[in-house]
Amino acid sequence: MKSKNIVIVGFMLFMPTAITAQEHIQKAFDALRSSKNQEEVNAKHSLEKDPDTGMMEGLEDTYEFLITDSKAKHLVDDIRKAFEQDERHAYNVSSGTLGNSENYVSLKVGDSNQGGVALGLMNGSRWIYACFLDPDDTLRQHRYAYALEWVEENHKIKGKIIKTYATTQKFRKSKAMQSRIITIDGNSFSFGPNFPFDSDSKSSETWLTEFNTFKNLFRRRPNGTAANSYATQIYKLCKDAESLDDVEKTMVSAEIAKLKNKTSDEFIQQLFDMSIERLKK
């Protein structure tokens, strides 16, 4: 099992990443948090990256607030309107009322089906959340989720705003299937249950088939927008190549060296160099 780099830092919230599709929500979140007419109750920030590629794999930003000034209620209304403005870009939008400890939603973080950030735990609260695909993930496996929960009583508003990054529910379910078909760059491929990289029981034949798929995709468009993703997939395969014998590893290394010569992108070239080094272990 690969190790993770997990960073937890308080008071670092809502970094301006991938805000194209959810720009209004992000701006409304920032406006509430920076307003002097609200009080910060609690804040949490956690970030998880792949230690080798530096690519983000999980994110949680939770900010709890209290509004006591009736003139500041518009901050919450602005967020609700922002969800409406960005709704057409979301692939999943949901809302609810009368939150309680038995009726809540869990917004996942990272690639785990366990746990998550609870939404709807506050008694009598209203809540809304929306999910947006990560525009930088060409495989369409990761998403950003934004959420607002609030309850108004005694002329006060208590609530929280949430942002998480995780694999999509569809992707997590697909990993549990015995076999599945995925579409990459407009092409469909069939893989076994351990795809993409849970390869403890992967045979050398399966490994080589998957490598050949990503190799061919990269060769077709070595300078395309998806090239970085294909190179990363190849690197992740090479991190777990125990099923290959020495002859097969030598053959794969030679193929990766050819791929390296087809690109001038230094990051991709480094990924290929690391891939070859992994095959030597």
Side-chain angles (χ1 to χ4, degrees), residues 138-157:
T138 59
L139 298 180
R140 300 170 67 84
Q141 296 173 353
H142 293 82
R143 61 91 180 122
Y144 288 90
Y146 292 77
L148 164 70
E149 179 178 8
W150 78 102
V151 59
E152 184 174 357
E153 57 184 7
N154 298 324
H155 305 291
K156 298 179 180 180
I157 298 179

Side-chain angles (χ1 to χ4, degrees), residues 20 34 38 43-45 47 68 89-90 95 109 119 135-136 198 229 255 264 271:
T20 302
S34 61
Q38 60 84 34
K44 178 182 178 182
H45 171 83
L47 176 65
T68 58
H89 298 294
S95 61
V109 177
L119 177 68
D136 295 325
D198 300 331
S229 292
E255 291 298 315
S264 59
L271 279 178

